[in-house]
Amino acid sequence: MQSRLGNRTALAVIAALTVVGCSTGVSTPHATTTPTQAGSPILTTPGTSVPSASAAVAPPSGRVVQWGDSTGIVNNPDYKTGVIDVFNATNPTMTLEDTIRTNMDAALRTALAAGSVTPDVVNMAGPTEGVELALAGQLLPLDKYVAQYGWDKILTPWSLALGTVNGHVYCIPNNMETLVVYYNKTQFDKNGWALPKTYADLIAVADQVKAAGSIAFMQGNAEYKLADQWFQGEWLNHVAGPENVAKALKGTIPWTDPTIAAAVTELKNVVNGGHFTGGLSKYYTTTFSAIAAAVASGKAAMSVDGTWDLAVFQDAFKKTGQELGWFAMPDSTGNPVLDISIGGCDGINKNSTNPDATAAWENWLLTDAGQVALAKAQNNPSPLATVNAGAMALYDPMRADILTALVQKTATPGQYGYTDWTFFSPKMETYWENHIEQVWAGALSVPDYLAATQAAYEQDKAANALMQLP
Amino acid sequence: MVVGNASSFGRRRLPSGGRRRSESLGPWRFVLPLIVFQVVVVLGPAIMAVYYSFTDWDGFSSAPFVGLDNYRQLIADPDFQQAFTHNAFYILLMPIPFLLALTAASLLMRVGGRAGMVYRLAFFIPFMLPSVVNSFVWKLLLDPTQGLQSILPAIGVPNPGLSFLGDTSTSLATVWFVDEWHFWPFLVVVLFAAMQSIPPDLYEAARVEGASWWQEFRFVTVPSITSTLAFMFIIACIWCFLVFDYPWVLTYGGPAGSSETIGTLVVKTGILAGRGGYGAAMGLMMTLFAAIPVGIFVYLRRRGAEI
């Protein structure tokens, strides 16, 4: 179990140590700070020894246009006042224009295909889309800005690698999140269910919950069909293990490998065995609010979900007065693996008339000021090599606990898992997502599914579209 | 009163050649904006779609020509085959809304006054509501935990917990039902309007001959609205191949593709998956299927069928 108190304490201790280090003169200039070689994140407080984005170059000027989806964070009023307005106020030579678009992705793709000079910022759903647009020649290579601002030092190596295509950096990952198991702590305590230490324990607990007449995992995709991929990723990384997933992503083992097949088969068995929402047909018609309500009321014990839905669970638990807990799903060896989700990736339009100012905006987001502003607006942090503890402290405590645990995990390969929307190449991701329900329904066999996944992987490989892993 | 004679007409100056040309061009000048608009919005993209269907276009970059590869792939694509059978399912069940609409329209003919107006309005409401609104209403009604089934325990009946939209064996039929629930009132109103144009004399003559209600319906009503029926059937068949909004909102084509239609598959493939060329081929096939009923209609009319 990831102890909330433990993580908070660790956060405070590390932050305090950093402050002490600072007070003893261990100060590092922003532009030249080098994080640990392994990309290990260090938690620091703002304004101390933060290896942050450089402000050494002359500030660019002019107008930068960014589009945001009407359903996304950019449409959050806090984002407008807490991030955009702060940037404009503190960077008087530049003006960031933030425009809300309905169906932004389609509007963005249309604009790019038409050769439009706007938006300057190409705001994408994740690195996979970044690769797709980079290969289509729609993005400006950012190598110049990587060198200018030291992004290769500021960002974790794995995250910058995700934005790299054919040796050139095209997008800057942001919005780092993960998936955990939310659970009803009150019910666990009352029924004597122990928190699982291994994947086998998890299934054993699920069996106990089912035997007690409750639903083990309350899940659903009625509002968002691609929620399937959350569980695909969780079971893939925790049953096959992150090492095998990394090997498959690098092509060392095929996607038809028995370890991968075992993971897909295990998920199929779990969803068909009644552990998911009491039956697969209910899974397809259950909404997120119903999921949270069921777990909060004790009708269900657990739910595998992302940090993006934490507030929904918290609201539901407030209504019932029961206690919400979370833990990282353990893998078969007992390692509590957290899957990395990069929910956004920013590039620069190749036709942008003001790429320097656009890059400056992107750089500002990576600075202390940017990270604090994002945290105040409750937007997720960027995958920085050195995480700003001051910014982290501004998050909701449980979110901060989870993100802190994630940051610690991302330092070491094998400790973190790979979500498909972050690490899978475009064609493979599309196939993987669009056909899993056929596997669950028995209309497509696991071997056939994985053979087609491998074929899609080969196509991506031939097109140089594989995601880069460190 | 003399209103004119041959000589007076003869003295009129015939329009000059230029004026005749001007007059003959007159209507075209009015239609021209529409033609330009159609060329830009419909014909241009249609020609481009035909071209892209022979390429491996990803929606952004250059479009390498691949000949008939997309079409060969389509024929063997199990997702496309599945979607096609679902569209065919819509056509197979097409008589049901027509029979319902015919019955309802003929019954409405017998309800006059304000009551008739209220009925007609009530029938038409589902068609006036946006498909997204209809879909969300039905999603809620069919929800096994929050919908109509959840009310049953209040009257002593256990909630069966049936997930009509979440079960692969019922999702397509459920989507079809909601779609037709929205569509058939439109048929009612159209057929009702057609029935109103039938001369009352025909009914009076039938009644004098002692015709029953059923005989009036069979020998007067139906033959009198055959052309409307045929036209609506053709239109409905075309719509069966263009089905998109209800499966998209209700099930997203799922679960497991069990309610996928060609329309939803085109969007998923051509737009969301970035396979513009393949999606264009799929869209053209959909258009071709939709054109078949039109071809049959034209053929039958040329053969003298009174439709």
Side-chain angles (χ1 to χ4, degrees):
Chain A
M1 171 195 173
Q2 298 296 314
S3 159
R4 173 181 164 180
L5 182 62
N7 277 334
R8 297 292 294 169
T9 308
L11 181 72
V13 169
I14 295 168
L17 286 172
T18 310
V19 171
V20 170
C22 182
S23 66
T24 54
V26 190
S27 177
T28 312
H30 285 186
T32 55
T33 298
T34 305
T36 55
Q37 288 304 307
S40 173
I42 307 166
L43 300 174
T44 64
T45 52
T48 57
S49 60
V50 182
S52 175
S54 171
V57 292
S61 59
R63 170 175 165 263
V64 175
V65 176
Q66 171 176 281
W67 289 355
D69 193 87
S70 57
T71 59
I73 59 164
V74 178
N75 199 22
N76 177 354
D78 292 340
Y79 183 84
K80 170 76 176 66
T81 56
V83 181
I84 304 292
D85 291 351
V86 170
F87 172 79
N88 284 329
T90 54
N91 294 274
T93 60
M94 288 183 280
T95 303
L96 181 70
E97 287 181 16
D98 179 41
T99 309
I100 304 303
R101 296 266 170 174
T102 51
N103 203 1
M104 198 274 282
D105 194 48
L108 178 67
R109 285 170 178 252
T110 304
L112 293 176
S116 170
V117 296
T118 55
D120 298 292
V121 180
V122 180
N123 189 331
M124 294 165 283
T128 301
E129 191 178 1
V131 169
E132 192 186 338
L133 296 189
L135 286 171
Q138 301 295 339
L139 302 179
L140 193 72
L142 304 178
D143 304 319
K144 169 186 161 188
Y145 303 112
V146 171
Q148 180 179 335
Y149 291 112
W151 288 341
D152 52 338
K153 299 176 181 66
I154 295 164
L155 291 157
T156 53
W158 59 261
S159 67
L160 200 63
L162 286 172
T164 304
V165 179
N166 292 333
H168 300 285
V169 176
Y170 284 96
C171 77
I172 303 300
N174 55 47
N175 197 15
M176 184 169 68
E177 297 195 73
T178 190
L179 293 110
V180 296
V181 181
Y182 296 109
Y183 72 100
N184 186 320
K185 190 169 186 306
T186 307
Q187 294 299 317
F188 264 62
D189 292 344
K190 182 179 159 190
N191 291 285
W193 298 326
L195 288 180
K197 290 190 171 62
T198 64
Y199 177 77
D201 288 348
L202 179 71
I203 297 304
V205 171
D207 290 339
Q208 287 178 316
V209 172
K210 192 178 175 188
S214 295
I215 294 167
F217 300 103
M218 193 67 185
Q219 313 293 166
N221 74 351
E223 293 162 296
Y224 182 62
K225 296 300 171 189
L226 295 182
D228 293 350
Q229 63 187 324
W230 305 347
F231 317 116
Q232 287 177 274
E234 282 290 274
W235 262 260
L236 177 68
N237 285 289
H238 293 80
V239 176
E243 296 87 355
N244 285 322
V245 178
K247 283 179 189 170
L249 286 168
K250 289 176 179 175
T252 313
I253 60 172
W255 283 90
T256 50
D257 188 83
T259 56
I260 307 291
V264 177
T265 305
E266 174 63 15
L267 177 60
K268 180 186 176 186
N269 293 339
V270 168
V271 298
N272 281 293
H275 282 325
F276 260 40
T277 324
L280 195 49
S281 64
K282 292 187 179 68
Y283 164 82
Y284 291 124
T285 54
T286 299
T287 61
F288 295 130
S289 58
I291 291 169
V295 180
S297 67
K299 285 181 185 170
M302 300 175 278
S303 182
V304 178
D305 208 327
T307 40
W308 46 86
D309 278 332
L310 172 60
V312 180
F313 282 95
Q314 288 175 321
D315 288 345
F317 273 81
K318 269 182 200 161
K319 288 176 188 165
T320 63
Q322 301 195 30
E323 189 179 352
L324 171 66
W326 71 275
F327 61 86
M329 185 192 283
D331 72 4
S332 53
T333 65
N335 182 17
V337 173
L338 285 170
D339 295 354
I340 296 175
S341 158
I342 294 296
C345 198
D346 282 359
I348 298 179
N349 183 347
K350 71 165 183 188
N351 296 316
S352 168
T353 53
N354 202 355
D356 290 349
T358 309
W361 153 245
E362 291 299 325
N363 184 60
W364 182 83
L365 285 171
L366 304 177
T367 64
D368 296 345
Q371 291 296 300
V372 167
L374 285 170
K376 276 184 181 168
Q378 292 296 301
N379 293 141
N380 293 301
S382 299
L384 303 182
T386 305
V387 172
N388 189 301
M392 197 64 85
L394 293 168
Y395 289 110
D396 163 86
M398 188 174 280
R399 180 182 295 274
D401 283 350
I402 298 171
L403 290 175
T404 303
L406 174 64
V407 168
Q408 290 164 350
K409 289 278 180 188
T410 60
T412 313
Q415 294 295 308
Y416 57 84
Y418 306 85
T419 54
D420 70 326
W421 62 92
T422 305
F423 292 94
F424 281 26
S425 48
K427 278 192 168 57
M428 193 177 79
E429 184 201 9
T430 301
Y431 183 82
W432 183 262
E433 288 169 0
N434 287 345
H435 292 84
I436 190 62
E437 289 183 4
Q438 292 179 15
V439 174
W440 295 346
L444 183 63
S445 72
V446 172
D448 287 347
Y449 174 65
L450 292 178
T453 303
Q454 177 66 25
Y457 177 89
E458 296 294 343
Q459 286 178 23
D460 282 330
K461 187 178 178 183
N464 278 332
L466 294 184
M467 306 302 288
Q468 302 297 309
L469 264 69
Chain B
M1 182 177 69
V2 178
V3 294
N5 54 44
S7 58
S8 64
F9 284 118
R11 283 198 297 272
R12 280 184 180 173
R13 289 184 59 198
L14 288 171
S16 66
R19 192 171 169 187
R20 277 202 305 273
R21 276 198 301 278
S22 176
E23 282 180 358
S24 63
L25 284 173
W28 287 102
R29 281 200 292 259
F30 287 106
V31 177
L32 189 62
L34 184 63
I35 291 174
V36 171
F37 182 79
Q38 291 290 80
V39 166
V40 172
V41 175
V42 179
L43 188 63
I47 292 170
M48 292 302 288
V50 173
Y51 168 72
Y52 282 128
S53 74
F54 297 107
T55 70
D56 188 22
W57 187 46
D58 61 8
F60 294 104
S61 42
S62 59
F65 189 78
V66 293
L68 292 171
D69 280 3
N70 287 331
Y71 292 95
R72 285 193 200 99
Q73 200 180 331
L74 258 187
I75 292 167
D77 185 343
D79 293 340
F80 182 75
Q81 291 167 0
Q82 184 187 39
F84 174 78
T85 59
H86 295 162
N87 285 92
F89 173 85
Y90 267 71
I91 290 191
L92 277 177
L93 297 187
M94 184 54 67
I96 295 176
F98 272 82
L99 287 173
L100 283 172
L102 262 177
T103 308
S106 62
L107 290 173
L108 276 177
M109 285 289 288
R110 295 171 176 268
V111 184
R114 288 185 179 175
M117 184 61 75
V118 170
Y119 273 120
R120 270 173 269 163
L121 188 63
F123 269 110
F124 208 53
I125 283 174
F127 191 76
M128 290 191 293
L129 291 174
S131 53
V132 174
V133 173
N134 279 334
S135 297
F136 276 106
V137 167
W138 275 100
K139 251 182 145 173
L140 190 63
L141 290 172
L142 294 169
D143 189 297
T145 54
Q146 304 171 66
L148 290 173
Q149 296 175 79
S150 66
I151 302 170
L152 293 176
I155 55 171
V157 179
N159 181 348
L162 298 172
S163 185
F164 293 102
L165 291 169
D167 193 317
T168 52
S169 61
T170 55
S171 61
L172 179 64
T174 308
V175 170
W176 171 84
F177 171 80
V178 176
D179 201 342
E180 295 305 330
W181 172 83
H182 148 265
F183 171 67
W184 84 278
F186 174 67
L187 272 181
V188 172
V189 173
V190 170
L191 296 181
F192 178 76
M195 288 176 188
Q196 280 192 314
S197 66
I198 300 171
D201 302 356
L202 294 178
Y203 287 106
E204 283 170 21
R207 281 176 204 138
V208 168
E209 294 292 330
S212 65
W213 175 85
W214 168 247
Q215 286 169 320
E216 277 183 32
F217 177 74
R218 185 179 169 192
F219 297 111
V220 178
T221 306
V222 173
S224 302
I225 62 167
T226 305
S227 57
T228 305
L229 271 173
F231 179 74
M232 288 311 298
F233 196 81
I234 298 298
I235 292 290
C237 285
I238 292 170
W239 285 347
C240 282
F241 280 111
L242 306 181
V243 172
F244 172 76
D245 43 3
Y246 282 94
W248 188 259
V249 179
L250 285 168
T251 61
Y252 196 67
S258 58
S259 59
E260 197 86 81
T261 61
I262 299 176
T264 58
L265 196 60
V266 166
V267 173
K268 286 181 182 177
T269 308
I271 297 173
L272 300 182
R275 299 184 66 193
Y278 191 57
M282 214 178 260
L284 281 174
M285 289 299 284
M286 184 170 77
T287 308
L288 184 68
F289 292 139
I292 290 172
V294 178
I296 294 171
F297 182 71
V298 171
Y299 173 78
L300 290 176
R301 281 191 69 119
R302 284 189 178 171
R303 292 292 300 264
E306 291 182 358
I307 53 175

